């Protein structure tokens, strides 16, 4: 049950649900391997990292949630890994089984763990059927999609059938950094790779994604879809005034629709109180949710970002639980109306 005592983490990832066996059986990225020193590592698109129990054992995450005081967590299919981009005949059944597992976790934890499913993007017919099953039969709130599909209108159009299917029962969609089917990772920067890729480039890409959605007709064409842009919309809360100035000076008859930014949802994953303060002023607390990016980051987002922020108590409550609660209630009403 969600109430005023809840703290809802709306951005975390989970590699369990059978994906460990699937990835161990692979020999090309993404895959799991055991090094000579006995450490298991995930060989991902841009390198490799130690694959600890935090990634695939939900009990470990639950224990850490309890210590931090987090009451609910949105566990997402590991979209950035690229599993959902693999050939459908190879991965569709594994993704379906993973989604079943997410639904089971929700039941076993009395709703403390909330699953955001994956879909096999290599086959649009199968992907559409799966998103309908996810919402109609499993009751999961939605799916995660690679944000590279939203870098432009042309690329977003590739997912039109999937968005139409998502709209049928209402669907929450997290737009998370990730490649498109058949797309190769870009060359690594010459230096300072972690900072350039995981901070500067990532934040810019999040802003590009939000821009595509608000400047397109997607919000009108798919009114039952809620789009979540990660990391507070990237750079948008900090450069929106420049964007407005560009429109005012170069397109005076077409002002930038800043108000449409408030029709998306955002999380504060891996960011802190100063960024949260700026985003609340631009986007509104009723559109912002907690996010940890667990297990990649392990900070408690409530203690790390919300508590020190110069926000009113009501704004803090909005970010901590009210925004997510209102979103889940909206999704369930849409689902029930379509059944």
């Amino acid at each position: 049950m969600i109430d005023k005592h809840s703290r809802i983490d709306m951005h975390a990832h989970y590699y369990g649900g059978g994906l460990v066996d699937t990835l161990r059986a692979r020999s090309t990225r993404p895959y799991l391997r055991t090094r000579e020193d006995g450490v298991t590592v995930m060989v991902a698109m841009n390198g490799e990292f130690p694959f600890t129990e935090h990634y695939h054992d939900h009990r470990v995450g639950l224990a850490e949630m309890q210590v931090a005081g987090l009451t609910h967590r949105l566990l997402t299919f590991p979209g950035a890994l690229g599993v959902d981009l693999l050939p459908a005949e190879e991965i569709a059944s594994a993704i379906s089984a993973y989604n079943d597992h997410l639904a089971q976790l929700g039941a076993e934890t009395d709703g403390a763990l909330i699953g955001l499913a994956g879909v096999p993007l290599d086959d649009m017919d199968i992907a559409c059927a799966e998103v309908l099953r996810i919402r109609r039969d499993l009751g999961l709130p939605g799916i995660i999609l690679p944000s590279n599909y939203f870098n432009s209108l042309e690329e977003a159009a590739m997912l039109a059938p999937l968005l139409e299917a998502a709209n049928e029962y209402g669907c929450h969609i997290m737009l998370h950094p990730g490649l498109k089917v058949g797309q190769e990772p870009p060359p690594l920067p010459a230096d300072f790779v972690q900072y350039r890729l995981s901070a500067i480039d990532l934040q810019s890409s999040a802003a590009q994604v939000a821009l595509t959605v608000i400047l397109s007709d997607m919000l009108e064409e798919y009114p039952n879809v809620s789009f979540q842009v990660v990391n507070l919309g990237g750079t948008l809360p900090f450069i929106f005034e420049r964007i407005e100035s560009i429109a005012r000076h170069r397109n005076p008859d077409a002002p930038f629709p800043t108000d449409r930014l408030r029709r998306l949802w955002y999380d504060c994953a891996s960011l802190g109180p100063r960024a949260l303060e700026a985003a609340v002023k631009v986007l509104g607390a009723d559109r912002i949710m907690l996010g940890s990016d667990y297990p990649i980051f392990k900070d408690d987002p409530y203690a790390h970002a919300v508590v020190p922020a110069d926000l009113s108590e009501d704004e803090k409550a909005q970010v901590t639980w009210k925004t997510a609660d209102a979103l889940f209630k909206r999704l369930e009403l849409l689902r029930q109306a379509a059944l």
Side-chain angles (χ1 to χ4, degrees), residues 174-315:
M174 176 187 281
L175 303 178
H176 190 280
L179 302 173
K180 300 180 298 182
V181 171
Q183 186 177 29
E184 292 295 326
L188 294 179
D191 51 28
F192 311 119
V193 173
Q194 288 184 329
Y195 298 127
R196 295 192 193 281
L197 283 183
S198 297
I200 306 302
D201 285 359
L202 186 146
Q203 292 299 96
S204 176
S205 71
Q208 293 281 10
V209 165
L211 199 69
T212 299
V213 176
I214 68 164
L215 293 182
S216 71
D217 296 327
M218 275 187 265
L219 296 174
E220 288 71 37
E221 291 179 354
Y222 314 113
N224 296 334
V225 173
S226 48
F227 293 99
Q228 177 179 342
V229 181
V230 300
N231 301 98
L232 295 175
T235 57
L236 277 176
F238 316 103
I239 64 169
F240 81 98
E241 291 160 322
R242 176 176 173 82
I243 296 175
E244 289 178 331
S245 294
I246 291 171
R248 187 167 61 251
H249 289 89
R250 301 179 186 176
N251 309 297
D253 296 329
F256 182 74
T258 306
D259 60 308
R260 285 174 70 84
L261 289 171
R262 288 183 41 77
R263 295 179 63 181
L264 307 179
W265 281 259
Y266 308 85
D267 64 69
C268 65
S270 72
L271 296 170
R274 304 294 84 84
L276 182 59
E277 292 164 5
V280 165
K281 290 179 180 179
V282 177
L283 308 171
D286 59 337
R287 290 287 160 162
I288 299 175
M289 304 173 288
L290 284 183
S292 65
D293 213 354
Y294 179 88
I296 301 166
F297 296 92
K298 297 183 177 65
D299 289 328
D300 168 13
Y302 178 75
H304 180 72
V306 175
V307 172
D310 185 13
L311 301 173
S312 70
E313 289 306 309
D314 185 61
E315 287 170 331

Side-chain angles (χ1 to χ4, degrees), residues 26-309:
R26 293 180 50 78
S27 58
T28 57
R29 300 170 188 262
Y31 69 97
L32 286 168
R33 71 178 183 92
T34 301
R35 298 190 314 214
E36 291 183 0
D37 61 3
V39 175
T40 298
V41 296
M42 177 71 73
V43 183
M45 297 302 177
N46 291 319
E48 64 181 42
F49 56 87
F51 190 70
T52 66
E53 59 189 358
H54 299 273
Y55 286 86
H56 61 87
D57 189 338
H58 71 277
R59 296 166 299 183
V60 174
L62 277 171
E64 295 200 354
M65 285 171 59
Q66 186 173 13
V67 171
L70 297 172
T71 60
H72 300 77
R73 172 169 277 164
L74 187 72
L75 295 181
T76 76
F77 182 85
L81 197 59
V83 176
D84 48 354
L85 311 180
L86 297 174
E89 62 269 19
E90 174 184 340
I91 203 65
S93 61
I95 292 178
S96 179
Y98 173 93
N99 295 338
D100 290 341
H101 175 71
L102 284 184
Q104 182 180 348
L105 282 184
E108 290 177 354
T109 62
D110 196 26
L113 298 181
I114 306 159
L116 206 61
V119 291
L121 294 167
D122 177 60
D123 188 310
M124 197 51 57
D125 289 339
I126 297 177
C128 290
E130 184 64 6
V131 76
L132 290 173
R133 189 181 78 91
I134 286 161
R135 290 296 290 139
R136 180 189 61 228
D137 302 336
L138 299 184
L140 298 175
I143 61 176
I144 183 172
L145 290 177
S147 62
N148 277 16
Y149 277 102
F150 293 81
N151 283 336
S152 70
L153 293 175
E154 182 180 4
E155 291 164 302
M158 299 176 186
L159 296 184
L162 182 60
L163 295 176
E164 290 173 7
N167 193 64
E168 186 168 336
Y169 287 89
C171 186
H172 188 60
I173 298 180
M174 176 187 281
L175 303 178
H176 190 280
L179 302 173
K180 300 180 298 182
V181 171
Q183 186 177 29
E184 292 295 326
L188 294 179
D191 51 28
F192 311 119
V193 173
Q194 288 184 329
Y195 298 127
R196 295 192 193 281
L197 283 183
S198 297
I200 306 302
D201 285 359
L202 186 146
Q203 292 299 96
S204 176
S205 71
Q208 293 281 10
V209 165
L211 199 69
T212 299
V213 176
I214 68 164
L215 293 182
S216 71
D217 296 327
M218 275 187 265
L219 296 174
E220 288 71 37
E221 291 179 354
Y222 314 113
N224 296 334
V225 173
S226 48
F227 293 99
Q228 177 179 342
V229 181
V230 300
N231 301 98
L232 295 175
T235 57
L236 277 176
F238 316 103
I239 64 169
F240 81 98
E241 291 160 322
R242 176 176 173 82
I243 296 175
E244 289 178 331
S245 294
I246 291 171
R248 187 167 61 251
H249 289 89
R250 301 179 186 176
N251 309 297
D253 296 329
F256 182 74
T258 306
D259 60 308
R260 285 174 70 84
L261 289 171
R262 288 183 41 77
R263 295 179 63 181
L264 307 179
W265 281 259
Y266 308 85
D267 64 69
C268 65
S270 72
L271 296 170
R274 304 294 84 84
L276 182 59
E277 292 164 5
V280 165
K281 290 179 180 179
V282 177
L283 308 171
D286 59 337
R287 290 287 160 162
I288 299 175
M289 304 173 288
L290 284 183
S292 65
D293 213 354
Y294 179 88
I296 301 166
F297 296 92
K298 297 183 177 65
D299 289 328
D300 168 13
Y302 178 75
H304 180 72
V306 175
V307 172

